Amino acid sequence: MSKSALITGVTGQDGAYLCKLLLGKGYKVFGLARRLSTPNLWRLKYFDIVDKIEILDGDLLDQESLATAVKKAKPDEVYNLAAQSFVATSWTQPILTSEIDGLGVVRLLNAVRSFAPHAKFYQASTSEMYGNSHTNGKQDEQTALHPRSPYAIAKLYAHWMTINYRESYDMFNCCGILFNHESPIRGIEFVTRKITDAVARIKLGLQDKLLLGNLDARRDWGFAGDYVEAMWLMLQQDKPEEYVVATGENHSVRDFCSAAFGAVGISDWEKYVGIDKRYIRPAELNILQGIPNKATERLGWKPKVTFKELVQMMVEAELKRLSSNRSHQSLASNLIHDSEQLKKEIKVKNI
Ligand code: NDP
Ligand code: GDP
């Protein structure tokens, strides 16, 4: 019989990639999605998988809806990807972020414990939990945690609650400490997508300038499609544990700009980029660079997409999207022109 999985945050970047992966492995996939005035299905549509999964109503803020979803899905595996995931917003909405990313996880753990106690549980922990702490300049599973944003603090609480439920109730709970991972369907406010979108617009003459914050911040950027495989592998092990998932390299925001502009043949990119204080954070993380040795040795996991390939993939996707929007727009303006013409002809012919 095929396995079933419940994915929270199914409408997000990782949710969409994980759905695609699990469907390919023959899983019955249930996706938890919160009620919005307009459903946010564009990423699932991007992979043409909306009709291949069952969407269940639910919100990490609402205990009852989580219990109902877990009862309905009877999952073998639960992947908790739902979150207010944007670090910058966590300073303007610290309480909401704590409710969703912190307490929300406990609500879900309670629902799983009560209605699917044998399900394997994955919690989306984050390299943000390290803050500026490091071991010889890098981070692994042993590096001390010192979160520096409300987002990271809420995630740290959820991380330890997930471990605590494992130790207290013998649940199969794993936390993946994932470093930044990106793709053409990354949220537009994250720096990588913000840059690739702007680069494509500048190349197509649709935008003049790109305003950013700290160009010196360094991140370990990988490809989301590779990282969801690591999530799945963690739940296929005999023992639940924590794993760092990263490429093992770091690049600055400046490097990312240079690579993205370079991908469209613009070498004098600095003239298109300005600094705007609004994008500087109250507390910054200078360098994140993971050591994924445990994931490589125990899970047999390795990233497949390189930094250069990731940037290229993202820029190409933006160019394709914007060019097709433009041809739709010119088709629409042709249609408007045609209908105006028709109206004129109708007037002339007096019909
Ligand atoms: P996204 O922001 O793309 O997706 C977040 C998802 O959470 C969306 O589906 C969103 O739904 C959903 N969500 C938000 N609030 C609620 C709520 N109250 N109840 C139910 N669902 C909710 O994030 P990613 O896919 O990039 O990340 C997945 C997870 O991994 C997140 O937990 C993130 O914090 C964590 N993470 C991500 C990293 C990265 O680099 N991408 C790195 C490390 C950890 P809606 O469509 O309605 O907004
Ligand atoms: P994060 O690592 O989860 O916070 O991912 P982001 O993509 O939001 O930010 C990565 C780094 O880019 C952080 O150090 C930001 O301070 C830095 N950065 C510089 N300019 C910008 C910007 O305009 N937007 C965002 N989102 N980040 C920026």
Side-chain angles (χ1 to χ4, degrees):
M1 229 175 67
S2 68
K3 284 191 190 173
S4 68
L6 173 63
I7 304 175
T8 73
V10 74
T11 54
Q13 170 188 258
D14 291 6
Y17 275 99
L18 183 63
C19 268
K20 189 168 157 254
L21 178 80
L22 297 184
L23 287 169
K25 292 183 183 297
Y27 278 62
K28 162 85 183 148
V29 178
F30 294 88
L32 187 94
R34 58 181 169 168
R35 194 237 160 224
L36 297 173
S37 59
T38 308
N40 179 22
L41 297 174
W42 66 273
R43 292 185 175 96
L44 296 170
K45 286 184 182 156
Y46 181 86
F47 290 129
D48 195 19
I49 52 175
V50 181
D51 300 332
K52 300 194 173 86
I53 67 168
E54 191 166 332
I55 295 194
L56 303 175
D57 280 343
D59 196 308
L60 285 197
L61 299 176
D62 183 73
Q63 180 76 64
E64 190 64 27
S65 67
L66 300 177
T68 307
V70 173
K71 276 192 242 176
K72 167 90 177 98
K74 298 188 190 70
D76 297 302
E77 295 171 10
V78 177
Y79 295 86
N80 181 36
L81 309 183
Q84 188 302 92
S85 69
F86 190 43
V87 173
T89 295
S90 77
W91 275 286
T92 55
Q93 300 184 4
I95 294 173
L96 181 70
T97 304
S98 306
E99 278 286 354
I100 299 173
D101 299 9
L103 288 176
V105 182
V106 185
R107 292 187 191 101
L108 184 61
L109 284 165
N110 282 339
V112 174
R113 183 179 166 223
S114 300
F115 303 111
H118 302 298
K120 295 183 168 183
F121 185 91
Y122 173 86
Q123 167 58 15
S125 290
T126 166
S127 55
E128 291 286 326
M129 298 187 309
Y130 293 114
N132 284 329
S133 160
H134 60 86
T135 310
N136 300 325
K138 300 180 189 175
Q139 294 88 17
D140 67 10
E141 293 82 2
Q142 269 67 55
T143 304
L145 302 168
H146 185 136
R148 272 169 69 80
S149 65
Y151 166 79
I153 293 165
K155 282 283 187 179
L156 183 67
Y157 170 77
H159 180 83
W160 280 111
M161 287 304 278
T162 303
I163 294 171
N164 180 261
Y165 270 49
R166 177 171 80 213
E167 293 175 353
S168 306
Y169 308 120
D170 203 23
M171 291 170 76
F172 191 110
N173 293 350
C174 293
C175 300
I177 308 174
L178 270 55
F179 284 60
N180 297 51
H181 45 281
E182 320 295 311
S183 73
I185 57 168
R186 180 65 144 145
I188 194 80
E189 70 271 60
F190 291 89
V191 78
T192 54
R193 201 48 236 286
K194 183 174 168 182
I195 295 169
T196 55
D197 173 69
V199 164
R201 284 175 191 278
I202 289 168
K203 179 70 182 172
L204 296 172
L206 302 170
Q207 185 173 324
D208 301 323
K209 201 93 189 156
L210 165 63
L211 295 177
L212 294 171
N214 178 11
L215 298 187
D216 297 318
R218 306 187 77 91
R219 290 289 180 276
D220 181 330
W221 279 297
F223 170 53
D226 288 344
Y227 285 38
V228 297
E229 284 197 40
M231 296 176 188
W232 176 76
L233 283 167
M234 284 177 218
L235 297 198
Q236 311 316 307
Q237 305 307 303
D238 293 335
K239 254 180 83 198
E241 289 187 35
E242 279 57 67
Y243 294 87
V244 159
V245 179
T247 69
E249 287 178 18
N250 81 66
H251 299 270
S252 65
V253 174
R254 196 183 298 280
D255 296 336
F256 198 101
C257 286
S258 168
F261 278 99
V264 296
I266 299 177
S267 52
D268 54 348
W269 61 270
E270 275 107 339
K271 73 177 190 202
Y272 297 102
V273 174
I275 304 299
D276 187 325
K277 281 193 191 136
R278 280 180 304 161
Y279 301 117
I280 306 273
R281 297 183 175 174
E284 180 62 288
L285 269 56
N286 304 324
I287 306 182
L288 288 176
Q289 181 175 352
I291 306 175
N293 292 355
K294 182 178 174 188
T296 305
E297 283 156 24
R298 306 268 279 276
L299 306 177
W301 179 86
K302 263 192 181 156
K304 298 187 187 96
V305 176
T306 65
F307 175 74
K308 202 170 165 215
E309 288 165 348
L310 174 66
V311 177
Q312 183 81 28
M313 176 203 305
M314 291 178 71
V315 171
E316 273 173 18
E318 306 290 1
L319 285 170
K320 198 169 154 201
R321 177 178 59 81
L322 290 166
S323 308
S324 95
N325 281 356
R326 275 229 291 210
S327 58
H328 285 136
Q329 272 164 15
S330 69
L331 185 67
S333 65
N334 284 346
L335 288 174
I336 291 167
H337 173 79
D338 290 350
S339 76
E340 294 300 325
Q341 194 62 32
L342 194 64
K343 275 190 215 151
K344 274 189 204 150
E345 283 172 20
I346 289 171
K347 235 180 174 172
V348 170
K349 289 180 185 161
N350 211 11
I351 44 176

